[in-house]
Amino acid sequence: MRYALISDVHANLPALEAVMRDIAGRAGPSLRSGQALATYHLGDLVGYAPWPDETVELLRRAGVPGVAGNYDSTVATDYAHCGCRYEDPRQEELSHLSYAWTRAHVSPETKEFLGSLPFRIDLRPLGGHAGGPTITLLHGNQVLNTVYVTEDRPDAFLTKMGAGAGAKPGDVVCFGHTHKPWHRAVEGVHFVNTGSVGRPKDGDWRAGYVLLTFDGGSVDVEIVRVEYDLDATMRGIRASDLPHEFADYLRTGGVLA
Ligand SMILES: [Fe+2]
């Protein structure tokens, strides 16, 4: 059983389209033609780029379920801010501009859809009638979708997170939010950060997602990167009244201050 996990699209429609094409190209012979791999999103569908409605519409049409990121739940509930972390005052200012723009531009239907997303999803590759691994999909951690689970978190933090999520050895706990993909097993529980489709922060501009493959008792985690029409996204940002800095941020894979 294979799953494609996509996170933090952030309204970058060209990046999402490229990732969906890549996923469709990986469908095995057991799947009917035209049917993609089992695909789930891990939230943060909107913010920072000019296609929030189109992003949601594409995922709804493709039948991709998923969980609520902080950007989704804050837009949906008219929260005071997007629940994002800033490294400096300029970043904070840009973040507020993006949040205000997104709230002003999402359709009522998109907002309602974002509000309907569940906080977490549990998958059972072997079925719920028998024992076997559980895949838990979150955005941040098991308590809040605003918690950053970064690669430098100590094993003790992840052990506590796994216990809090109800994970046992062999299970896989997946999350996004930091926009930097990584994978580590601690006491038999796999922790997988699925990175970001539309706004990577690891210095690689390409769209990122994760493939999980369950084969017997083992799980394989593949971090995939896909080139997309970056120029189209940069043009789209510059043609909108979003801060133009967001275009350069994408080009550098988030290393530009
Ligand atoms: Fe995000």
Side-chain angles (χ1 to χ4, degrees), residues 190-208:
H190 292 268
F191 295 87
V192 180
N193 190 311
T194 50
S196 173
V197 169
R199 192 171 158 85
K201 295 183 181 177
D202 61 353
D204 184 343
W205 66 271
R206 296 173 301 168

Side-chain angles (χ1 to χ4, degrees), residues 10-12 47-54 101 233 236-238 240 242:
H10 283 299
N12 186 342
Y48 302 107
W51 299 285
D53 287 341
E54 294 85 347
W101 187 97
T233 299
I237 290 169
R238 290 185 177 129
S240 75
L242 279 164

Side-chain angles (χ1 to χ4, degrees), residues 129-183:
H129 57 283
T134 297
I135 309 166
T136 296
L137 308 182
L138 303 162
H139 181 73
N141 80 349
Q142 78 284 1
V143 179
L144 292 171
N145 60 20
T146 50
V147 175
Y148 288 84
V149 183
T150 49
E151 191 169 12
D152 59 0
R153 292 282 196 180
D155 284 0
F157 178 94
L158 296 177
T159 301
K160 199 172 162 193
M161 177 177 171
K168 61 185 186 315
D171 288 351
V172 187
V173 182
C174 306
F175 44 90
H177 190 47
T178 74
H179 299 207
K180 293 180 181 179
W182 56 270
H183 165 223

